[in-house]
Amino acid sequence: RKEVEQDPGPFNVPEGATVAFNCTYSNSASQSFFWYRQDCRKEPKLLMSVYSSGNEDGRFTAQLNRASQYISLLIRDSKLSDSATYLCVVSYTGGFKTIFGAGTRLFVKA
Amino acid sequence: DVKVTQSSRYLVKRTGEKVFLECVQDMDHENMFWYRQDPGLGLRLIYFSYDVKMKEKGDIPEGYSVSREKKERFSLILESASTNQTSMYLCASRVGFNAEAFFGQGTRLTVV
């Protein structure tokens, strides 16, 4: 079983739609959580950190559920420019280990 | 802006060659990483370094070594390239454990 699992998709949604991704992690010692975005043939870039209380940045909302060991990303009012691969990232306290999920592909169409 | 620069975007090497991938960051970051990215597998950690001359194996270190003689530079070495090392290689750096990781643009290596 992978330490960090994501649905690879692809998710095909129309502009304006709301779309949600989940990511599960297996190690309960995980302490830090992030969502990264990767455009085609580009490097990953931080989209947002995920805090225990949840956090929102414009159209993007990230949530953490420690009991069920998953994090989620919600995108409201999807734009064409949101088309990308979204990577779930989990880090462990006290060590360097940072695990990336394989990513979820999103296509937003006009 | 943090800049992480990888020496090559594309490389083609022959089986058995020794290959050097260079990575330089300009933000005085302590931590530097080498990942490879393959379809369906995501980013897998090869090696990381938390300080000059310090290195730790990641999840898939076999067939690779690293060098960090200066804080800003982290090199990945393929001792004897093999076709199964054909991949996208990504270097990253960060200031600390909970901090954002900044990636280089990637090196697409093809071993023939």
Side-chain angles (χ1 to χ4, degrees), chain A residues 2 32 34 36 38 41 43-44 46 91-93 95-98 100-102, chain B residues 9 35 37 40-43 45 48 57 59 94 97-98 100-101 103-105:
Chain A
K2 291 181 182 176
S32 297
F34 309 88
Y36 277 69
Q38 186 173 23
R41 299 184 187 281
E43 70 274 20
L46 180 69
S91 289
Y92 301 100
T93 300
F96 64 90
K97 205 162 173 85
T98 297
F100 283 76
Chain B
R9 287 296 302 271
Y35 291 89
Q37 186 174 29
L41 297 177
L43 277 76
L45 182 64
F48 97 108
K57 293 180 180 179
D59 297 316
R94 69 181 184 197
F97 165 69
N98 277 336
E100 176 182 358
F103 284 84
Q105 77 276 30

PDB file of all heavy atoms in Angstrom, chain A residues 2 32 34 36 38 41 43-44 46 91-93 95-98 100-102, chain B residues 9 35 37 40-43 45 48 57 59 94 97-98 100-101 103-105:
ATOM      1  N   LYS A   2       0.557   2.213  -0.858  1.00  0.00           N
ATOM      2  CA  LYS A   2       1.340   3.433  -0.929  1.00  0.00           C
ATOM      3  C   LYS A   2       1.098   4.262   0.320  1.00  0.00           C
ATOM      4  O   LYS A   2       0.017   4.256   0.894  1.00  0.00           O
ATOM      5  CB  LYS A   2       0.935   4.244  -2.161  1.00  0.00           C
ATOM      6  CG  LYS A   2       1.334   3.591  -3.477  1.00  0.00           C
ATOM      7  CD  LYS A   2       0.929   4.451  -4.644  1.00  0.00           C
ATOM      8  CE  LYS A   2       1.279   3.788  -5.955  1.00  0.00           C
ATOM      9  NZ  LYS A   2       0.810   4.569  -7.114  1.00  0.00           N
ATOM     10  N   SER A  32       2.793  17.348   8.677  1.00  0.00           N
ATOM     11  CA  SER A  32       2.605  18.514   7.810  1.00  0.00           C
ATOM     12  C   SER A  32       2.040  18.052   6.488  1.00  0.00           C
ATOM     13  O   SER A  32       2.416  17.004   5.970  1.00  0.00           O
ATOM     14  CB  SER A  32       3.934  19.239   7.577  1.00  0.00           C
ATOM     15  OG  SER A  32       4.434  19.737   8.787  1.00  0.00           O
ATOM     16  N   PHE A  34       0.434  19.332   2.532  1.00  0.00           N
ATOM     17  CA  PHE A  34       0.472  20.383   1.517  1.00  0.00           C
ATOM     18  C   PHE A  34      -0.249  19.897   0.270  1.00  0.00           C
ATOM     19  O   PHE A  34      -0.327  18.696   0.002  1.00  0.00           O
ATOM     20  CB  PHE A  34       1.922  20.701   1.106  1.00  0.00           C
ATOM     21  CG  PHE A  34       2.853  20.976   2.253  1.00  0.00           C
ATOM     22  CD1 PHE A  34       3.529  19.949   2.873  1.00  0.00           C
ATOM     23  CD2 PHE A  34       3.078  22.273   2.679  1.00  0.00           C
ATOM     24  CE1 PHE A  34       4.405  20.194   3.925  1.00  0.00           C
ATOM     25  CE2 PHE A  34       3.951  22.537   3.735  1.00  0.00           C
ATOM     26  CZ  PHE A  34       4.610  21.484   4.347  1.00  0.00           C
ATOM     27  N   TYR A  36       0.377  20.651  -3.801  1.00  0.00           N
ATOM     28  CA  TYR A  36       1.197  21.275  -4.834  1.00  0.00           C
ATOM     29  C   TYR A  36       0.454  21.153  -6.153  1.00  0.00           C
ATOM     30  O   TYR A  36      -0.326  20.228  -6.368  1.00  0.00           O
ATOM     31  CB  TYR A  36       2.557  20.570  -4.961  1.00  0.00           C
ATOM     32  CG  TYR A  36       3.594  21.023  -3.952  1.00  0.00           C
ATOM     33  CD1 TYR A  36       3.457  20.721  -2.601  1.00  0.00           C
ATOM     34  CD2 TYR A  36       4.708  21.752  -4.351  1.00  0.00           C
ATOM     35  CE1 TYR A  36       4.400  21.138  -1.674  1.00  0.00           C
ATOM     36  CE2 TYR A  36       5.663  22.170  -3.430  1.00  0.00           C
ATOM     37  CZ  TYR A  36       5.496  21.859  -2.099  1.00  0.00           C
ATOM     38  OH  TYR A  36       6.429  22.277  -1.191  1.00  0.00           O
ATOM     39  N   GLN A  38       1.127  20.989 -10.364  1.00  0.00           N
ATOM     40  CA  GLN A  38       2.143  20.788 -11.393  1.00  0.00           C
ATOM     41  C   GLN A  38       1.497  20.918 -12.764  1.00  0.00           C
ATOM     42  O   GLN A  38       0.619  20.133 -13.122  1.00  0.00           O
ATOM     43  CB  GLN A  38       2.818  19.415 -11.243  1.00  0.00           C
ATOM     44  CG  GLN A  38       3.983  19.219 -12.205  1.00  0.00           C
ATOM     45  CD  GLN A  38       4.753  17.939 -11.939  1.00  0.00           C
ATOM     46  OE1 GLN A  38       4.240  16.987 -11.359  1.00  0.00           O
ATOM     47  NE2 GLN A  38       6.019  17.900 -12.351  1.00  0.00           N
ATOM     48  N   ARG A  41       4.691  19.456 -18.022  1.00  0.00           N
ATOM     49  CA  ARG A  41       6.109  19.672 -18.343  1.00  0.00           C
ATOM     50  C   ARG A  41       6.745  20.778 -17.502  1.00  0.00           C
ATOM     51  O   ARG A  41       7.739  21.388 -17.911  1.00  0.00           O
ATOM     52  CB  ARG A  41       6.286  19.984 -19.827  1.00  0.00           C
ATOM     53  CG  ARG A  41       5.813  18.867 -20.732  1.00  0.00           C
ATOM     54  CD  ARG A  41       6.096  19.190 -22.182  1.00  0.00           C
ATOM     55  NE  ARG A  41       5.516  18.206 -23.068  1.00  0.00           N
ATOM     56  CZ  ARG A  41       6.029  17.013 -23.331  1.00  0.00           C
ATOM     57  NH1 ARG A  41       7.158  16.647 -22.758  1.00  0.00           N
ATOM     58  NH2 ARG A  41       5.430  16.181 -24.139  1.00  0.00           N
ATOM     59  N   GLU A  43       7.717  22.128 -13.234  1.00  0.00           N
ATOM     60  CA  GLU A  43       8.005  21.618 -11.911  1.00  0.00           C
ATOM     61  C   GLU A  43       6.815  21.852 -10.979  1.00  0.00           C
ATOM     62  O   GLU A  43       6.013  22.755 -11.188  1.00  0.00           O
ATOM     63  CB  GLU A  43       9.268  22.302 -11.344  1.00  0.00           C
ATOM     64  CG  GLU A  43       9.097  23.770 -10.971  1.00  0.00           C
ATOM     65  CD  GLU A  43       9.306  24.714 -12.123  1.00  0.00           C
ATOM     66  OE1 GLU A  43       9.214  24.295 -13.306  1.00  0.00           O
ATOM     67  OE2 GLU A  43       9.553  25.902 -11.834  1.00  0.00           O
ATOM     68  N   PRO A  44       6.704  21.070  -9.912  1.00  0.00           N
ATOM     69  CA  PRO A  44       5.647  21.300  -8.928  1.00  0.00           C
ATOM     70  C   PRO A  44       5.855  22.623  -8.194  1.00  0.00           C
ATOM     71  O   PRO A  44       6.991  23.026  -7.929  1.00  0.00           O
ATOM     72  CB  PRO A  44       5.797  20.119  -7.951  1.00  0.00           C
ATOM     73  CG  PRO A  44       6.619  19.113  -8.667  1.00  0.00           C
ATOM     74  CD  PRO A  44       7.512  19.876  -9.586  1.00  0.00           C
ATOM     75  N   LEU A  46       4.093  24.999  -4.807  1.00  0.00           N
ATOM     76  CA  LEU A  46       3.175  24.959  -3.680  1.00  0.00           C
ATOM     77  C   LEU A  46       1.884  25.687  -4.005  1.00  0.00           C
ATOM     78  O   LEU A  46       1.901  26.840  -4.443  1.00  0.00           O
ATOM     79  CB  LEU A  46       3.826  25.597  -2.452  1.00  0.00           C
ATOM     80  CG  LEU A  46       2.966  25.620  -1.202  1.00  0.00           C
ATOM     81  CD1 LEU A  46       2.766  24.202  -0.663  1.00  0.00           C
ATOM     82  CD2 LEU A  46       3.585  26.509  -0.130  1.00  0.00           C
ATOM     83  N   SER A  91       4.445  15.276   5.219  1.00  0.00           N
ATOM     84  CA  SER A  91       5.770  15.244   5.855  1.00  0.00           C
ATOM     85  C   SER A  91       5.663  14.733   7.282  1.00  0.00           C
ATOM     86  O   SER A  91       4.628  14.871   7.928  1.00  0.00           O
ATOM     87  CB  SER A  91       6.387  16.653   5.892  1.00  0.00           C
ATOM     88  OG  SER A  91       6.765  17.064   4.614  1.00  0.00           O
ATOM     89  N   TYR A  92       6.767  14.152   7.763  1.00  0.00           N
ATOM     90  CA  TYR A  92       6.803  13.580   9.098  1.00  0.00           C
ATOM     91  C   TYR A  92       7.663  14.424  10.017  1.00  0.00           C
ATOM     92  O   TYR A  92       8.749  14.863   9.637  1.00  0.00           O
ATOM     93  CB  TYR A  92       7.362  12.155   9.048  1.00  0.00           C
ATOM     94  CG  TYR A  92       6.564  11.243   8.172  1.00  0.00           C
ATOM     95  CD1 TYR A  92       6.983  10.955   6.886  1.00  0.00           C
ATOM     96  CD2 TYR A  92       5.385  10.670   8.628  1.00  0.00           C
ATOM     97  CE1 TYR A  92       6.242  10.121   6.070  1.00  0.00           C
ATOM     98  CE2 TYR A  92       4.638   9.828   7.816  1.00  0.00           C
ATOM     99  CZ  TYR A  92       5.077   9.564   6.541  1.00  0.00           C
ATOM    100  OH  TYR A  92       4.346   8.749   5.736  1.00  0.00           O
ATOM    101  N   THR A  93       7.203  14.604  11.217  1.00  0.00           N
ATOM    102  CA  THR A  93       7.941  15.386  12.209  1.00  0.00           C
ATOM    103  C   THR A  93       9.284  14.756  12.508  1.00  0.00           C
ATOM    104  O   THR A  93       9.410  13.543  12.604  1.00  0.00           O
ATOM    105  CB  THR A  93       7.129  15.456  13.517  1.00  0.00           C
ATOM    106  OG1 THR A  93       5.894  16.076  13.256  1.00  0.00           O
ATOM    107  CG2 THR A  93       7.880  16.232  14.579  1.00  0.00           C
ATOM    108  N   GLY A  95      11.931  14.456  10.913  1.00  0.00           N
ATOM    109  CA  GLY A  95      12.734  13.835   9.863  1.00  0.00           C
ATOM    110  C   GLY A  95      12.584  14.568   8.562  1.00  0.00           C
ATOM    111  O   GLY A  95      11.864  15.541   8.457  1.00  0.00           O
ATOM    112  N   PHE A  96      13.299  14.073   7.603  1.00  0.00           N
ATOM    113  CA  PHE A  96      13.263  14.739   6.318  1.00  0.00           C
ATOM    114  C   PHE A  96      12.180  14.200   5.416  1.00  0.00           C
ATOM    115  O   PHE A  96      11.932  14.725   4.356  1.00  0.00           O
ATOM    116  CB  PHE A  96      14.598  14.497   5.621  1.00  0.00           C
ATOM    117  CG  PHE A  96      14.845  13.044   5.317  1.00  0.00           C
ATOM    118  CD1 PHE A  96      14.426  12.500   4.114  1.00  0.00           C
ATOM    119  CD2 PHE A  96      15.467  12.227   6.232  1.00  0.00           C
ATOM    120  CE1 PHE A  96      14.639  11.159   3.826  1.00  0.00           C
ATOM    121  CE2 PHE A  96      15.683  10.893   5.948  1.00  0.00           C
ATOM    122  CZ  PHE A  96      15.276  10.354   4.749  1.00  0.00           C
ATOM    123  N   LYS A  97      11.537  13.114   5.840  1.00  0.00           N
ATOM    124  CA  LYS A  97      10.724  12.365   4.899  1.00  0.00           C
ATOM    125  C   LYS A  97       9.518  13.173   4.450  1.00  0.00           C
ATOM    126  O   LYS A  97       8.658  13.536   5.251  1.00  0.00           O
ATOM    127  CB  LYS A  97      10.265  11.058   5.548  1.00  0.00           C
ATOM    128  CG  LYS A  97       9.952   9.974   4.534  1.00  0.00           C
ATOM    129  CD  LYS A  97       9.943   8.614   5.200  1.00  0.00           C
ATOM    130  CE  LYS A  97       9.465   7.536   4.250  1.00  0.00           C
ATOM    131  NZ  LYS A  97      10.523   7.012   3.415  1.00  0.00           N
ATOM    132  N   THR A  98       9.499  13.451   3.201  1.00  0.00           N
ATOM    133  CA  THR A  98       8.375  14.146   2.572  1.00  0.00           C
ATOM    134  C   THR A  98       7.905  13.279   1.420  1.00  0.00           C
ATOM    135  O   THR A  98       8.676  12.989   0.508  1.00  0.00           O
ATOM    136  CB  THR A  98       8.815  15.523   2.063  1.00  0.00           C
ATOM    137  OG1 THR A  98       9.218  16.326   3.173  1.00  0.00           O
ATOM    138  CG2 THR A  98       7.672  16.215   1.345  1.00  0.00           C
ATOM    139  N   PHE A 100       5.311  12.423  -1.656  1.00  0.00           N
ATOM    140  CA  PHE A 100       4.403  12.981  -2.644  1.00  0.00           C
ATOM    141  C   PHE A 100       3.452  11.897  -3.133  1.00  0.00           C
ATOM    142  O   PHE A 100       3.872  10.768  -3.398  1.00  0.00           O
ATOM    143  CB  PHE A 100       5.190  13.516  -3.846  1.00  0.00           C
ATOM    144  CG  PHE A 100       5.859  14.830  -3.612  1.00  0.00           C
ATOM    145  CD1 PHE A 100       7.022  14.907  -2.861  1.00  0.00           C
ATOM    146  CD2 PHE A 100       5.340  15.993  -4.144  1.00  0.00           C
ATOM    147  CE1 PHE A 100       7.647  16.119  -2.646  1.00  0.00           C
ATOM    148  CE2 PHE A 100       5.965  17.217  -3.941  1.00  0.00           C
ATOM    149  CZ  PHE A 100       7.114  17.278  -3.186  1.00  0.00           C
ATOM    150  N   GLY A 101       2.187  12.262  -3.287  1.00  0.00           N
ATOM    151  CA  GLY A 101       1.272  11.382  -3.992  1.00  0.00           C
ATOM    152  C   GLY A 101       1.561  11.417  -5.480  1.00  0.00           C
ATOM    153  O   GLY A 101       2.318  12.275  -5.959  1.00  0.00           O
ATOM    154  N   ALA A 102       0.951  10.490  -6.210  1.00  0.00           N
ATOM    155  CA  ALA A 102       1.200  10.413  -7.646  1.00  0.00           C
ATOM    156  C   ALA A 102       0.455  11.495  -8.429  1.00  0.00           C
ATOM    157  O   ALA A 102       0.738  11.703  -9.608  1.00  0.00           O
ATOM    158  CB  ALA A 102       0.825   9.026  -8.167  1.00  0.00           C
TER     159      ALA A 102
ATOM    160  N   ARG B   9      18.059  20.656 -19.183  1.00  0.00           N
ATOM    161  CA  ARG B   9      16.645  20.299 -19.302  1.00  0.00           C
ATOM    162  C   ARG B   9      16.488  18.905 -19.889  1.00  0.00           C
ATOM    163  O   ARG B   9      15.607  18.156 -19.500  1.00  0.00           O
ATOM    164  CB  ARG B   9      15.913  21.298 -20.213  1.00  0.00           C
ATOM    165  CG  ARG B   9      15.684  22.662 -19.614  1.00  0.00           C
ATOM    166  CD  ARG B   9      14.773  22.608 -18.395  1.00  0.00           C
ATOM    167  NE  ARG B   9      13.472  22.038 -18.658  1.00  0.00           N
ATOM    168  CZ  ARG B   9      12.407  22.715 -19.054  1.00  0.00           C
ATOM    169  NH1 ARG B   9      12.503  24.003 -19.289  1.00  0.00           N
ATOM    170  NH2 ARG B   9      11.246  22.121 -19.216  1.00  0.00           N
ATOM    171  N   TYR B  35      14.614  14.013  -6.500  1.00  0.00           N
ATOM    172  CA  TYR B  35      13.506  13.112  -6.748  1.00  0.00           C
ATOM    173  C   TYR B  35      13.572  12.656  -8.204  1.00  0.00           C
ATOM    174  O   TYR B  35      14.108  13.346  -9.069  1.00  0.00           O
ATOM    175  CB  TYR B  35      12.162  13.826  -6.568  1.00  0.00           C
ATOM    176  CG  TYR B  35      11.801  14.222  -5.160  1.00  0.00           C
ATOM    177  CD1 TYR B  35      12.187  15.457  -4.643  1.00  0.00           C
ATOM    178  CD2 TYR B  35      11.048  13.378  -4.357  1.00  0.00           C
ATOM    179  CE1 TYR B  35      11.839  15.829  -3.348  1.00  0.00           C
ATOM    180  CE2 TYR B  35      10.690  13.747  -3.056  1.00  0.00           C
ATOM    181  CZ  TYR B  35      11.096  14.980  -2.573  1.00  0.00           C
ATOM    182  OH  TYR B  35      10.745  15.357  -1.290  1.00  0.00           O
ATOM    183  N   GLN B  37      10.606  11.413 -11.113  1.00  0.00           N
ATOM    184  CA  GLN B  37       9.170  11.378 -11.325  1.00  0.00           C
ATOM    185  C   GLN B  37       8.861  10.519 -12.531  1.00  0.00           C
ATOM    186  O   GLN B  37       9.355  10.769 -13.637  1.00  0.00           O
ATOM    187  CB  GLN B  37       8.607  12.784 -11.532  1.00  0.00           C
ATOM    188  CG  GLN B  37       7.087  12.834 -11.625  1.00  0.00           C
ATOM    189  CD  GLN B  37       6.546  14.243 -11.680  1.00  0.00           C
ATOM    190  OE1 GLN B  37       7.195  15.167 -12.165  1.00  0.00           O
ATOM    191  NE2 GLN B  37       5.333  14.440 -11.151  1.00  0.00           N
ATOM    192  N   GLY B  40       2.445   7.661 -13.021  1.00  0.00           N
ATOM    193  CA  GLY B  40       1.735   6.761 -12.125  1.00  0.00           C
ATOM    194  C   GLY B  40       2.423   6.505 -10.800  1.00  0.00           C
ATOM    195  O   GLY B  40       1.818   5.941  -9.887  1.00  0.00           O
ATOM    196  N   LEU B  41       3.672   6.927 -10.673  1.00  0.00           N
ATOM    197  CA  LEU B  41       4.427   6.670  -9.433  1.00  0.00           C
ATOM    198  C   LEU B  41       4.671   7.926  -8.626  1.00  0.00           C
ATOM    199  O   LEU B  41       5.099   7.866  -7.477  1.00  0.00           O
ATOM    200  CB  LEU B  41       5.771   6.012  -9.765  1.00  0.00           C
ATOM    201  CG  LEU B  41       5.697   4.648 -10.418  1.00  0.00           C
ATOM    202  CD1 LEU B  41       7.093   4.145 -10.761  1.00  0.00           C
ATOM    203  CD2 LEU B  41       4.984   3.636  -9.515  1.00  0.00           C
ATOM    204  N   GLY B  42       4.440   9.078  -9.204  1.00  0.00           N
ATOM    205  CA  GLY B  42       4.673  10.313  -8.489  1.00  0.00           C
ATOM    206  C   GLY B  42       6.153  10.608  -8.320  1.00  0.00           C
ATOM    207  O   GLY B  42       7.002  10.064  -9.026  1.00  0.00           O
ATOM    208  N   LEU B  43       6.451  11.458  -7.372  1.00  0.00           N
ATOM    209  CA  LEU B  43       7.843  11.806  -7.077  1.00  0.00           C
ATOM    210  C   LEU B  43       8.380  10.850  -6.018  1.00  0.00           C
ATOM    211  O   LEU B  43       7.787  10.697  -4.952  1.00  0.00           O
ATOM    212  CB  LEU B  43       7.938  13.239  -6.539  1.00  0.00           C
ATOM    213  CG  LEU B  43       7.961  14.366  -7.560  1.00  0.00           C
ATOM    214  CD1 LEU B  43       6.583  14.611  -8.128  1.00  0.00           C
ATOM    215  CD2 LEU B  43       8.505  15.637  -6.906  1.00  0.00           C
ATOM    216  N   LEU B  45      11.737   9.912  -3.655  1.00  0.00           N
ATOM    217  CA  LEU B  45      12.949  10.526  -3.124  1.00  0.00           C
ATOM    218  C   LEU B  45      14.148   9.604  -3.322  1.00  0.00           C
ATOM    219  O   LEU B  45      14.146   8.446  -2.883  1.00  0.00           O
ATOM    220  CB  LEU B  45      12.768  10.834  -1.637  1.00  0.00           C
ATOM    221  CG  LEU B  45      13.933  11.513  -0.936  1.00  0.00           C
ATOM    222  CD1 LEU B  45      14.183  12.905  -1.527  1.00  0.00           C
ATOM    223  CD2 LEU B  45      13.655  11.619   0.563  1.00  0.00           C
ATOM    224  N   PHE B  48      18.615  12.959  -0.040  1.00  0.00           N
ATOM    225  CA  PHE B  48      18.487  14.338   0.390  1.00  0.00           C
ATOM    226  C   PHE B  48      19.723  14.724   1.217  1.00  0.00           C
ATOM    227  O   PHE B  48      20.491  13.862   1.670  1.00  0.00           O
ATOM    228  CB  PHE B  48      17.186  14.555   1.165  1.00  0.00           C
ATOM    229  CG  PHE B  48      17.349  14.493   2.650  1.00  0.00           C
ATOM    230  CD1 PHE B  48      17.274  15.650   3.399  1.00  0.00           C
ATOM    231  CD2 PHE B  48      17.578  13.305   3.274  1.00  0.00           C
ATOM    232  CE1 PHE B  48      17.420  15.617   4.766  1.00  0.00           C
ATOM    233  CE2 PHE B  48      17.732  13.246   4.647  1.00  0.00           C
ATOM    234  CZ  PHE B  48      17.655  14.408   5.393  1.00  0.00           C
ATOM    235  N   LYS B  57      19.989   8.611   2.485  1.00  0.00           N
ATOM    236  CA  LYS B  57      19.297   7.886   1.425  1.00  0.00           C
ATOM    237  C   LYS B  57      17.800   8.115   1.531  1.00  0.00           C
ATOM    238  O   LYS B  57      17.252   8.190   2.627  1.00  0.00           O
ATOM    239  CB  LYS B  57      19.597   6.394   1.536  1.00  0.00           C
ATOM    240  CG  LYS B  57      21.045   6.031   1.247  1.00  0.00           C
ATOM    241  CD  LYS B  57      21.269   4.535   1.377  1.00  0.00           C
ATOM    242  CE  LYS B  57      22.713   4.189   1.090  1.00  0.00           C
ATOM    243  NZ  LYS B  57      22.974   2.729   1.230  1.00  0.00           N
ATOM    244  N   ASP B  59      14.111   6.827  -0.673  1.00  0.00           N
ATOM    245  CA  ASP B  59      13.425   5.548  -0.880  1.00  0.00           C
ATOM    246  C   ASP B  59      14.043   4.686  -1.981  1.00  0.00           C
ATOM    247  O   ASP B  59      13.900   3.468  -1.965  1.00  0.00           O
ATOM    248  CB  ASP B  59      11.956   5.816  -1.220  1.00  0.00           C
ATOM    249  CG  ASP B  59      11.236   6.497  -0.060  1.00  0.00           C
ATOM    250  OD1 ASP B  59      11.445   6.066   1.090  1.00  0.00           O
ATOM    251  OD2 ASP B  59      10.495   7.460  -0.307  1.00  0.00           O
ATOM    252  N   ARG B  94      14.618  23.577   0.431  1.00  0.00           N
ATOM    253  CA  ARG B  94      13.716  24.242   1.376  1.00  0.00           C
ATOM    254  C   ARG B  94      14.533  24.692   2.574  1.00  0.00           C
ATOM    255  O   ARG B  94      15.596  24.141   2.869  1.00  0.00           O
ATOM    256  CB  ARG B  94      12.584  23.321   1.820  1.00  0.00           C
ATOM    257  CG  ARG B  94      13.038  22.179   2.688  1.00  0.00           C
ATOM    258  CD  ARG B  94      11.899  21.260   3.086  1.00  0.00           C
ATOM    259  NE  ARG B  94      12.394  20.221   4.010  1.00  0.00           N
ATOM    260  CZ  ARG B  94      11.748  19.101   4.294  1.00  0.00           C
ATOM    261  NH1 ARG B  94      10.558  18.854   3.741  1.00  0.00           N
ATOM    262  NH2 ARG B  94      12.263  18.230   5.133  1.00  0.00           N
ATOM    263  N   PHE B  97      12.005  22.012   7.794  1.00  0.00           N
ATOM    264  CA  PHE B  97      11.095  20.879   7.712  1.00  0.00           C
ATOM    265  C   PHE B  97       9.684  21.238   7.248  1.00  0.00           C
ATOM    266  O   PHE B  97       9.116  20.591   6.385  1.00  0.00           O
ATOM    267  CB  PHE B  97      11.021  20.198   9.080  1.00  0.00           C
ATOM    268  CG  PHE B  97       9.878  19.251   9.214  1.00  0.00           C
ATOM    269  CD1 PHE B  97       9.857  18.070   8.504  1.00  0.00           C
ATOM    270  CD2 PHE B  97       8.811  19.540  10.039  1.00  0.00           C
ATOM    271  CE1 PHE B  97       8.801  17.190   8.609  1.00  0.00           C
ATOM    272  CE2 PHE B  97       7.744  18.669  10.152  1.00  0.00           C
ATOM    273  CZ  PHE B  97       7.732  17.489   9.444  1.00  0.00           C
ATOM    274  N   ASN B  98       9.086  22.245   7.821  1.00  0.00           N
ATOM    275  CA  ASN B  98       7.696  22.579   7.492  1.00  0.00           C
ATOM    276  C   ASN B  98       7.574  23.585   6.362  1.00  0.00           C
ATOM    277  O   ASN B  98       6.476  24.052   6.072  1.00  0.00           O
ATOM    278  CB  ASN B  98       6.998  23.162   8.723  1.00  0.00           C
ATOM    279  CG  ASN B  98       6.484  22.066   9.639  1.00  0.00           C
ATOM    280  OD1 ASN B  98       6.239  20.957   9.197  1.00  0.00           O
ATOM    281  ND2 ASN B  98       6.351  22.385  10.908  1.00  0.00           N
ATOM    282  N   GLU B 100       7.981  25.402   2.565  1.00  0.00           N
ATOM    283  CA  GLU B 100       7.713  25.119   1.161  1.00  0.00           C
ATOM    284  C   GLU B 100       8.985  24.622   0.489  1.00  0.00           C
ATOM    285  O   GLU B 100      10.082  25.120   0.729  1.00  0.00           O
ATOM    286  CB  GLU B 100       7.253  26.394   0.479  1.00  0.00           C
ATOM    287  CG  GLU B 100       7.033  26.282  -1.016  1.00  0.00           C
ATOM    288  CD  GLU B 100       6.617  27.611  -1.624  1.00  0.00           C
ATOM    289  OE1 GLU B 100       6.461  28.593  -0.873  1.00  0.00           O
ATOM    290  OE2 GLU B 100       6.451  27.655  -2.861  1.00  0.00           O
ATOM    291  N   ALA B 101       8.819  23.626  -0.366  1.00  0.00           N
ATOM    292  CA  ALA B 101       9.926  23.142  -1.188  1.00  0.00           C
ATOM    293  C   ALA B 101       9.865  23.818  -2.546  1.00  0.00           C
ATOM    294  O   ALA B 101       8.803  23.912  -3.160  1.00  0.00           O
ATOM    295  CB  ALA B 101       9.843  21.626  -1.353  1.00  0.00           C
ATOM    296  N   PHE B 103      11.266  23.808  -6.426  1.00  0.00           N
ATOM    297  CA  PHE B 103      11.807  22.838  -7.364  1.00  0.00           C
ATOM    298  C   PHE B 103      12.545  23.520  -8.512  1.00  0.00           C
ATOM    299  O   PHE B 103      12.185  24.629  -8.935  1.00  0.00           O
ATOM    300  CB  PHE B 103      10.686  21.985  -7.953  1.00  0.00           C
ATOM    301  CG  PHE B 103      10.162  20.940  -7.003  1.00  0.00           C
ATOM    302  CD1 PHE B 103       9.196  21.255  -6.061  1.00  0.00           C
ATOM    303  CD2 PHE B 103      10.644  19.642  -7.056  1.00  0.00           C
ATOM    304  CE1 PHE B 103       8.722  20.294  -5.175  1.00  0.00           C
ATOM    305  CE2 PHE B 103      10.184  18.671  -6.185  1.00  0.00           C
ATOM    306  CZ  PHE B 103       9.214  18.992  -5.242  1.00  0.00           C
ATOM    307  N   GLY B 104      13.534  22.819  -9.027  1.00  0.00           N
ATOM    308  CA  GLY B 104      14.125  23.193 -10.296  1.00  0.00           C
ATOM    309  C   GLY B 104      13.205  22.788 -11.434  1.00  0.00           C
ATOM    310  O   GLY B 104      12.172  22.138 -11.224  1.00  0.00           O
ATOM    311  N   GLN B 105      13.576  23.155 -12.638  1.00  0.00           N
ATOM    312  CA  GLN B 105      12.704  22.928 -13.792  1.00  0.00           C
ATOM    313  C   GLN B 105      12.716  21.481 -14.267  1.00  0.00           C
ATOM    314  O   GLN B 105      11.913  21.098 -15.107  1.00  0.00           O
ATOM    315  CB  GLN B 105      13.105  23.872 -14.939  1.00  0.00           C
ATOM    316  CG  GLN B 105      14.348  23.448 -15.699  1.00  0.00           C
ATOM    317  CD  GLN B 105      15.653  23.889 -15.049  1.00  0.00           C
ATOM    318  OE1 GLN B 105      15.763  24.020 -13.826  1.00  0.00           O
ATOM    319  NE2 GLN B 105      16.660  24.113 -15.882  1.00  0.00           N
TER     320      GLN B 105
END
